Amino acid sequence: MPTKDSERVARAVEMAKKAHEGQFRKTGEPYIIHPMAVKKILEEWGMDEDTIIAGILHDTVEDTDLTLADIKKEFGESVAFLVDGVTKLSTARTGMRDIDTYLPETRDNFLRLMIALGDDIRVLIIKLADRLHNLRTLSALPPDKQKKIAKETLEVFAPLADRLNMGLLRVEMADLSFKYVDPKRYDYLKDLIEKYNKSAEKSLKRIEEEISEAFKKEKIKFTLSGRVKSVYSLHKKLAKHNQNINEIYDLIALRVIVDDITDCYLALGIIHSLYTPMGGRIKDYIAMPKQNGYQSLHTTVITKDKRVVEFQIRTKEMHEYAERGLAASFYYNEQKVTENYKKGKIEHLPTNLLWITELQMTAAKLREGKKVDYKKLKLNLFADKIFVYTPKGDIIDLPKGSLPLDFAYRLHSEIGDHVIGVKINGKMSNLNKKLEQGDIVEILTSKNQTPKTSWLDKIITSHARQKLMHRLNADKK
Ligand code: MN
């Protein structure tokens, strides 16, 4: 991290100060506090100079008299490109939220988001830094705005951070937001985690001693650290496991960081010789990295005092990448990255971050005015989501595995309550049919239809379940 600003960065700071002069944030502070905070975050993430400059200027085109041309003249094409991308993204952001509310302009905004993203992934990283600072200072906003921003962060930005494998950022964003979305639940779970950790303290210490001794015997260099489960990820896991905390196996997780891959597997062997591994809980994300490039060995074991503990074993490089993700690769490969961006290549990315390439290729097509087949448009950015279409072509995002009733209730509860059938891609289908990426879904309704209890088995989203339950209860009365 530079201790002193370069001449270009210092010039950008002056430019931003002048441009934002007389503007104030909701906190009452001068506006320049915000771009300066974004600058600091980007520096901490180890981003390159152009990104940092664009971060300093990210709000100028939208909110001040400065133009893109001014920025281009002063700092060159690359910086102007990034600022333009961030400005476009902030318009498109609204569109992401509008997917929920089903507005006709959704698709345009969606495309704008694609184009902005496809241009340069650094645009997204600036946007994430921007959002992070806004979240950190959210307390200054009125409650309804707080909730709106927090919810949007949980739905869009935290998953984006996850797609870029920026683990630390994802956790900070999710927990900060969740606090505003559901303060009571947040406090409850935070308390629960603290109590759990306290109760586990002694046995954790013993495990650490046992592990250390065994590793030293095998001459494996290592560092060991405990990992606290974040409040939001516990919340999500509990929802998945019917609120049964005994089914959450990674409440206590220990991280083992070793020198190289060979040692990772050696360490796994040693841990399994000390404790009983739980069947089906060994995951080799080194041989098979996650889609976002995350690598580690995971195993869950039962300790001598019958505790369930998860171990995550990885090298230093994998650890760094798990916490800082895509930003970390800028830090290590700044020179190479910059060159590659100029050439339009992204070789430094982990091999399985192919979705970024796909996104960039799609965006390039759109920019050239070429037709993109919506049905084939693969959006791996949200790997756990599918995007389906109404017959009119509006995009609806749903969790993977969603069924026609989930779709119907997403459109409107009035539609959901009166479903008599569904056509998928023009063909009659049934309510048990899982929807797939790109499906065109047409819901058939009848005024005389009433919701059935049996529908509860034909629904996977909590949103649809709530709506249906609500109606079923009302009918009972
Ligand atoms: Mn901003």
Side-chain angles (χ1 to χ4, degrees):
M1 203 192 302
T3 43
K4 201 175 166 285
D5 288 345
S6 70
E7 177 274 329
R8 277 178 92 219
V9 171
R11 241 186 320 128
V13 169
E14 284 318 305
M15 197 176 191
K17 271 186 185 160
K18 233 190 229 157
H20 288 295
E21 185 131 51
Q23 293 178 340
F24 293 89
R25 299 200 93 214
K26 287 273 165 9
T27 51
E29 296 162 305
Y31 194 86
I32 191 68
I33 296 276
H34 169 64
M36 290 305 280
V38 170
K39 164 182 182 272
K40 192 159 165 260
I41 292 168
L42 291 170
E43 284 169 353
E44 280 166 6
W45 289 351
M47 298 306 295
D48 61 293
E49 192 181 85
D50 279 354
T51 308
I52 289 165
I53 294 174
I56 296 166
L57 298 169
H58 79 273
D59 276 329
T60 55
V61 172
E62 211 179 349
D63 298 338
T64 77
D65 293 337
L66 272 188
T67 64
L68 265 186
D70 297 333
I71 291 171
K72 190 171 163 184
K73 207 175 113 206
E74 201 68 26
F75 297 104
E77 193 142 3
S78 164
V79 172
F81 200 57
L82 293 173
V83 174
D84 188 34
V86 178
T87 312
K88 275 185 197 149
L89 245 185
S90 79
T91 341
R93 190 191 89 206
T94 329
M96 292 306 292
R97 195 173 44 224
D98 288 346
I99 288 176
D100 274 344
T101 47
Y102 194 43
L103 288 179
E105 56 267 30
T106 297
R107 178 185 284 174
D108 284 347
N109 284 331
F110 191 63
L111 288 185
R112 259 187 291 182
L113 177 74
M114 296 268 306
I115 292 167
L117 277 181
D119 277 345
D120 196 319
I121 206 73
R122 291 178 298 176
V123 168
L124 188 58
I125 291 177
I126 298 169
K127 197 64 213 166
L128 285 168
D130 174 46
R131 174 51 58 108
L132 179 61
H133 182 245
N134 284 335
L135 266 185
R136 283 176 178 169
T137 52
L138 203 55
S139 61
L141 294 184
D144 59 319
K145 264 215 154 160
Q146 285 175 347
K147 276 220 164 113
K148 206 166 158 184
I149 291 177
K151 209 172 154 249
E152 185 193 60
T153 307
L154 280 183
E155 281 168 9
V156 178
F157 289 91
L160 279 179
D162 188 44
R163 296 305 175 259
L164 302 180
N165 199 18
M166 297 171 79
L168 288 178
L169 175 66
R170 172 183 53 83
V171 167
E172 185 176 353
M173 278 190 157
D175 277 10
L176 271 174
S177 308
F178 188 50
K179 212 160 102 183
Y180 287 99
V181 170
D182 195 345
K184 265 197 196 143
R185 178 91 178 143
Y186 177 88
D187 288 342
Y188 167 76
L189 290 176
K190 197 166 168 59
D191 199 49
L192 192 73
I193 289 173
E194 265 161 33
K195 277 190 191 134
Y196 198 91
N197 277 333
K198 231 183 190 156
S199 79
E201 226 168 285
K202 256 198 199 141
S203 62
L204 265 184
K205 221 177 158 201
R206 220 179 91 196
I207 296 164
E208 279 184 37
E209 283 164 11
E210 287 163 357
I211 293 276
S212 301
E213 199 188 326
F215 279 20
K216 271 180 199 146
K217 232 192 234 162
E218 299 294 327
K219 299 203 166 51
I220 296 179
K221 272 198 228 148
F222 67 96
T223 53
L224 200 61
S225 62
R227 187 221 55 175
V228 182
K229 191 153 190 65
S230 78
V231 175
Y232 185 63
S233 65
L234 177 60
H235 168 72
K236 273 181 68 178
K237 274 232 162 138
L238 280 171
K240 227 176 164 176
H241 293 277
N242 294 314
Q243 305 301 326
N244 184 356
I245 197 158
N246 296 320
E247 279 181 30
I248 315 281
Y249 296 135
D250 59 351
L251 256 178
I252 307 180
L254 280 174
R255 253 175 215 152
V256 182
I257 296 164
V258 294
D259 281 347
D260 54 39
I261 292 182
T262 314
D263 282 356
C264 288
Y265 289 100
L266 275 176
L268 182 73
I270 293 169
I271 291 165
H272 285 173
S273 70
L274 283 174
Y275 313 112
T276 318
M278 278 174 79
R281 300 272 315 168
I282 303 164
K283 288 172 197 143
D284 187 347
Y285 295 121
I286 293 179
M288 302 266 292
K290 284 192 187 179
Q291 202 198 8
N292 62 10
Y294 174 87
Q295 287 188 298
S296 268
L297 298 175
H298 287 194
T299 184
T300 307
V301 300
I302 300 164
T303 64
K304 287 161 193 163
D305 57 355
K306 301 280 173 252
R307 267 186 196 280
V308 177
V309 177
E310 184 184 82
F311 281 92
Q312 303 175 345
I313 308 159
R314 51 178 88 141
T315 67
K316 280 179 205 122
E317 290 75 23
M318 291 173 193
H319 181 60
E320 180 80 352
Y321 186 67
E323 300 218 304
R324 300 178 46 215
L326 210 61
S329 52
F330 281 90
Y331 185 71
Y332 286 121
N333 298 309
E334 189 180 317
Q335 207 44 49
K336 203 175 156 202
V337 168
T338 318
E339 276 165 28
N340 280 340
Y341 269 117
K342 276 183 201 148
K343 287 187 223 143
K345 281 193 214 155
I346 39 174
E347 282 164 351
H348 65 290
L349 296 174
T351 45
N352 50 352
L353 282 184
L354 279 177
W355 60 266
I356 293 179
T357 322
E358 274 178 36
L359 200 62
Q360 292 191 320
M361 274 160 53
T362 312
K365 266 192 184 172
L366 290 167
R367 272 200 307 281
E368 288 161 18
K370 286 194 187 136
K371 257 207 164 155
V372 170
D373 185 349
Y374 288 97
K375 274 182 280 177
K376 285 190 188 144
L377 188 77
K378 257 215 232 148
L379 197 73
N380 289 333
L381 197 53
F382 297 95
D384 46 0
K385 284 193 173 180
I386 51 165
F387 289 82
V388 295
Y389 304 89
T390 68
K392 276 197 240 152
D394 291 303
I395 304 170
I396 305 291
D397 72 310
L398 288 165
K400 247 188 193 161
S402 288
L403 299 162
L405 281 170
D406 293 303
F407 176 84
Y409 276 102
R410 169 58 80 82
L411 296 184
H412 202 283
S413 55
E414 273 301 304
I415 298 178
D417 285 345
H418 296 107
V419 172
I420 52 162
V422 60
K423 271 187 185 173
I424 298 175
N425 302 323
K427 280 195 200 122
M428 282 305 296
S429 190
N430 65 63
L431 299 181
N432 291 314
K433 176 89 174 66
K434 274 189 193 165
L435 299 179
E436 294 194 33
Q437 175 76 9
D439 276 347
I440 300 169
V441 188
E442 185 181 351
I443 296 293
L444 311 172
T445 57
S446 156
K447 269 186 197 150
N448 303 323
Q449 177 68 301
T450 51
K452 310 273 179 280
T453 319
S454 65
W455 286 6
L456 284 168
D457 300 333
K458 298 179 173 59
I459 267 173
I460 72 147
T461 57
S462 52
H463 171 83
R465 185 172 304 275
Q466 260 174 23
K467 293 264 153 105
L468 176 58
M469 287 297 285
H470 183 78
R471 183 60 205 269
L472 288 171
N473 289 334
D475 284 354
K476 247 188 238 162
K477 280 171 200 159

